Amino acid sequence: EVASSNADFSILVQALDKAGLVSTLEGAGPFTVFAPTNEAFNALFAQLGVSGINDLSAETLKPILLNHVISGSVKSTDISTGYVETFNNTAPGENKVKIFINKGSSVMVDGSKVVTVDVMASNGVIHAVDKVILPASVVSHAINNPNFSILVQAVVKAGLVEALSAPGPFTVFAPTNDAFNALFAVLGVSGIDNLTAEQLTPILLYHVVSGNILASQVSTGVVPTLKAGSNIDVVANTMGVKLNGNANVVATDVQGSNGVIHVIDAVLLP
């Protein structure tokens, strides 16, 4: 009802109707909806090369729209930086895709900017965003989080963006920028620019395991990686998870559309 009464959300309302989600969002909730404006939808149509909602099927629209909805009535004063589970359960194993909320001078949601906050409804709250939030792949998750900027540089230089954007599913142990900087210090180099694609590719593939392996499914043992013939030694206990004896898993279960990321504090070397 609130979206329907606002002309800026007319395409969103059309999309919700076509995807059969009107009754869902009329439920008790509470829901928090990051609502793309008409301008945001028109930018998506241009990107996809379509003329409007009529060119997209209900099956295409539903996971995109549910990717904008989180549980609870989260007002702007309650928003904090971190990953949040959406209602989009089209990830491998029917897991729910997460979005990354980055609260700084403005609030960014997977690279989309919040432009209006706290439009209150009887069953939740709407925040308007300037870009449609597409379900993030493991690569997109890395791009959306500034803490992975060096990892993204490495993946781009190694030419692995397309491979890791494929259906997968993949489990990625993702080193933070601090982890990469520690490696550069050990190697005596200043950054990614000092390493070749040929050097980076085996290192990066060594951080990727086949399958969508959640933290609850991790156990002590040897795990084969996408670097042929190379395994990771995993030790999992009540203290946490350690890889190859020196890398700690510091955050888990960043679910993407084609796999899951676990964050680590050191770069793994084959």
Side-chain angles (χ1 to χ4, degrees):
E1 289 169 353
V2 172
S4 297
S5 66
N6 188 327
D8 279 344
F9 297 136
S10 62
I11 300 177
L12 172 62
V13 171
Q14 273 184 281
L16 290 169
D17 186 45
K18 184 165 187 179
L21 291 174
V22 171
S23 59
T24 301
L25 291 178
E26 283 178 337
F31 308 108
T32 297
V33 179
F34 294 102
T37 60
N38 288 349
E39 196 174 336
F41 270 106
N42 285 325
L44 175 67
F45 299 152
Q47 179 187 329
L48 297 177
V50 301
S51 60
I53 287 296
N54 290 337
D55 293 331
L56 299 175
S57 67
E59 292 72 27
T60 299
L61 286 167
K62 189 173 181 180
I64 294 173
L65 294 169
L66 290 176
N67 206 59
H68 294 75
V69 186
I70 64 175
S71 185
S73 184
V74 185
K75 300 183 183 69
S76 58
T77 51
D78 302 321
I79 289 174
S80 59
T81 297
Y83 289 98
V84 184
E85 197 173 78
T86 70
F87 277 62
N88 173 18
N89 67 341
T90 58
E94 296 186 356
N95 289 299
K96 292 178 177 176
V97 176
K98 291 185 178 179
I99 51 177
F100 181 65
I101 298 176
N102 193 9
K103 187 174 185 179
S105 54
S106 58
V107 175
M108 304 296 292
V109 184
D110 272 6
S112 170
K113 186 178 181 180
V114 174
V115 291
T116 306
V117 299
D118 298 341
V119 181
M120 301 306 298
S122 61
N123 65 344
V125 60
I126 294 171
H127 306 296
V129 292
D130 68 352
K131 185 178 174 185
V132 175
I133 307 164
L134 297 175
S137 67
V138 290
V139 172
S140 296
H141 265 318
I143 291 169
N144 291 330
N145 188 334
N147 289 314
F148 296 132
S149 62
I150 300 177
L151 173 62
V152 171
Q153 274 183 281
V155 169
V156 169
K157 186 165 187 177
L160 291 174
V161 171
E162 190 175 342
L164 293 177
S165 300
F170 307 107
T171 297
V172 179
F173 294 104
T176 60
N177 288 348
D178 285 345
F180 270 104
N181 286 324
L183 174 67
F184 299 153
V186 169
L187 297 178
V189 300
S190 60
I192 289 296
D193 289 342
N194 297 124
L195 300 173
T196 66
E198 291 72 27
Q199 289 171 315
L200 287 167
T201 299
I203 293 172
L204 294 170
L205 291 177
Y206 188 58
H207 290 77
V208 186
V209 172
S210 185
N212 194 94
I213 305 166
L214 300 177
S216 60
Q217 299 169 311
V218 172
S219 58
T220 296
V222 176
V223 182
T225 70
L226 292 199
K227 183 187 181 301
S230 295
N231 302 320
I232 297 173
D233 289 316
V234 179
V235 175
N237 53 38
T238 53
M239 303 294 289
V241 175
K242 194 177 280 285
L243 308 179
N244 287 357
N246 69 326
N248 297 292
V249 175
V250 294
T252 63
D253 294 346
V254 179
Q255 183 65 61
S257 60
N258 68 338
V260 64
I261 292 173
H262 305 300
V263 186
I264 56 176
D265 63 359
V267 177
L268 304 172
L269 296 177

